[in-house]
Amino acid sequence: MDYTVNGETIAADEEGYITNLGDWSQDLAGVIAEAEDITMDDERWEVVNFLRDYYDEYQIAPAVRVLIKALKKTMGPEKGNNKYMYELFPYGPAKQACKIAGLPKPTGCV
Amino acid sequence: MTTKKFLYVNRKAPYGTIYALESLEVVLIGAAFEQDVSVAFLDDGVFQLTKGQDTGGIGVKNFSPTFRALGDYDVTKLYVERESLEERGLTEADLQEVTYEDEDDDWAEKPSIRIISRAEMADVMADQDVVLSF
Amino acid sequence: MSTLHTVNKSPFATQALLSCLNHCKDGDAVLMIEDGVYGGMAGSGLSEIVAEKGKSVALFVLSPDMTARGIDASRLIAGVEGTDYAGFVDLVAKHDRTQNWL
């Protein structure tokens, strides 16, 4: 399932995770989000940017509970909880937010 | 559910075989089960924690930064065998810093790596419910 | 509390057997399997170290792996015992945990 961004084809696997992490751009994120039926706003960007920073530092996409714990610490309990996360990404932060962030599927996520 | 003591034993250098990466992935996946997890590094396994790794030239992923994420997964006990370091001409200063934030101590940052002797490593191994080797 | 250790590499190729012996506790057992069975042979450069450890640790080799490699039981270090697959299972059951040295 490839994406097309500004006339360019970006390779992705059958689940929609992009093949080359270096292909990611903000425009691509918008295209992936659209395919997921998600409209990007500040709150969603906050999560996507957090995921990209986490990957940049540790070379993994965090497990959902790790993501939520970290958001709770940096952004407070009103954002660092399951309910908030699933409101932003109804099919789950791992499945949707990581995909939009251009990261591989989190380790241990089946 | 009762908590069991799990020890992951690493005895292989990081990039020559897949063992080290597989071990790390199993540790990360296993962390979801909220057991009492320790990770041991001995023999060539101590090479996994050296700082300054850069795999750009060999076309494989540098997973050494991922050890620094283990604290987020509540894996906070990384035992490194002193004799194994010494046999390889290494000291603690050659290892990257790995810390965790202690939730029970106002998120104080504490070191995860504990350098222990061979005899102490044997004690750690004998104290486990489950030992998984890589 | 005791541990069954298994070693499956030739002691002349890797440190697995030596490292295993260095981390054994009294009352543990070491079972040499696959290429590990070469560690049970008498007359090698390592035989003395293995024999010495045999005083505090029970040493076994998996007989089918030994036979497959043409090693006769008479070539084993004194005190090293051959066992079959059923004996392997008994050893696992007898100890509190199993640790594999790869």
Side-chain angles (χ1 to χ4, degrees):
Chain A
M1 192 183 101
D2 295 346
Y3 300 101
T4 308
V5 183
N6 306 327
E8 240 187 291
T9 303
I10 307 293
D13 68 15
E14 66 228 6
E15 292 179 88
Y17 292 87
I18 60 169
T19 311
N20 301 307
L21 308 191
D23 286 343
W24 190 86
S25 63
Q26 293 211 350
D27 287 350
L28 172 61
V31 171
I32 301 173
E34 207 175 309
E36 292 284 327
D37 244 345
I38 281 177
T39 309
M40 292 302 286
D41 54 19
D42 289 350
E43 283 73 30
R44 290 179 174 87
W45 273 115
E46 202 169 47
V47 175
V48 165
N49 287 332
F50 176 89
L51 286 170
R52 288 192 60 79
D53 288 346
Y54 196 94
Y55 190 89
D56 197 43
E57 185 163 358
Y58 300 121
Q59 299 298 301
I60 49 165
V64 175
R65 67 184 181 89
V66 171
L67 168 69
I68 288 172
K69 196 166 83 173
L71 289 177
K72 189 175 175 180
K73 188 162 168 263
T74 53
M75 293 168 197
E78 66 281 358
K79 288 187 176 180
N81 65 70
N82 262 302
K83 184 169 175 285
Y84 175 77
M85 204 54 58
Y86 279 85
E87 275 166 12
L88 295 186
F89 303 100
Y91 287 93
K95 197 175 178 318
Q96 295 189 303
C98 285
K99 198 183 289 181
I100 294 165
L103 306 185
K105 223 172 162 178
T107 301
C109 173
V110 280
Chain B
M1 192 176 72
T2 53
T3 304
K4 286 196 171 186
K5 300 189 78 162
F6 276 69
L7 178 69
Y8 295 88
V9 177
N10 292 283
R11 297 186 47 251
K12 303 275 198 286
Y15 303 111
T17 63
I18 197 73
Y19 284 97
L21 178 58
E22 290 283 314
S23 170
L24 186 52
E25 293 202 333
V26 175
V27 171
L28 291 168
I29 294 165
F33 297 100
E34 300 187 7
Q35 302 294 306
D36 181 0
V37 173
S38 302
V39 189
F41 299 87
L42 60 149
D43 297 335
D44 276 359
V46 300
F47 287 129
Q48 293 180 28
L49 290 174
T50 55
K51 59 187 175 193
Q53 294 177 28
D54 178 357
T55 58
I58 61 171
V60 300
K61 182 167 145 174
N62 175 5
F63 55 86
S64 65
T66 306
F67 289 109
R68 297 200 292 272
L70 287 176
D72 294 343
Y73 288 75
D74 299 317
V75 176
T76 60
K77 290 173 286 191
L78 308 185
Y79 295 105
V80 178
E81 187 174 279
R82 182 176 295 111
E83 287 87 341
S84 297
L85 287 172
E86 285 167 358
E87 285 160 8
R88 288 159 183 79
L90 300 175
T91 67
E92 188 171 4
D94 294 304
L95 305 182
Q96 64 169 329
E97 204 181 342
V98 181
T99 59
Y100 70 100
E101 292 173 333
D102 191 346
E103 212 171 336
D104 301 324
D105 190 9
D106 197 24
W107 304 99
E109 203 166 292
K110 299 180 177 179
S112 298
I113 293 181
R114 305 166 194 201
I115 312 284
I116 61 172
S117 71
R118 188 159 280 161
E120 287 169 326
M121 184 63 87
D123 290 339
V124 168
M125 289 171 170
D127 187 38
Q128 305 297 322
D129 293 305
V130 180
V131 179
L132 295 163
S133 304
F134 292 89
Chain C
M1 296 290 271
S2 63
T3 303
L4 169 68
H5 302 265
T6 70
V7 178
N8 75 337
K9 300 291 190 302
S10 162
F12 309 106
T14 79
Q15 292 273 100
L17 178 63
L18 273 181
S19 195
C20 167
L21 296 177
N22 280 331
H23 291 88
C24 274
K25 306 286 252 185
D26 290 1
D28 283 359
V30 175
L31 171 62
M32 294 168 264
I33 64 173
E34 301 167 25
D35 281 352
V37 298
Y38 294 117
M41 289 177 73
S44 83
L46 291 167
S47 300
E48 251 179 69
I49 296 170
V50 177
E52 179 61 30
K53 198 71 193 179
K55 292 174 184 168
S56 56
V57 167
L59 302 174
F60 299 91
V61 293
L62 191 64
S63 298
D65 282 328
M66 202 175 68
T67 308
R69 288 161 179 78
I71 306 167
D72 190 81
S74 65
R75 297 288 302 277
L76 291 177
I77 296 165
V80 175
E81 206 181 305
T83 187
D84 57 12
Y85 291 110
F88 189 162
V89 174
D90 289 341
L91 282 170
V92 171
K94 187 181 161 194
H95 294 86
D96 300 292
R97 68 190 72 74
T98 301
Q99 179 168 356
N100 307 304
W101 296 80
L102 306 173

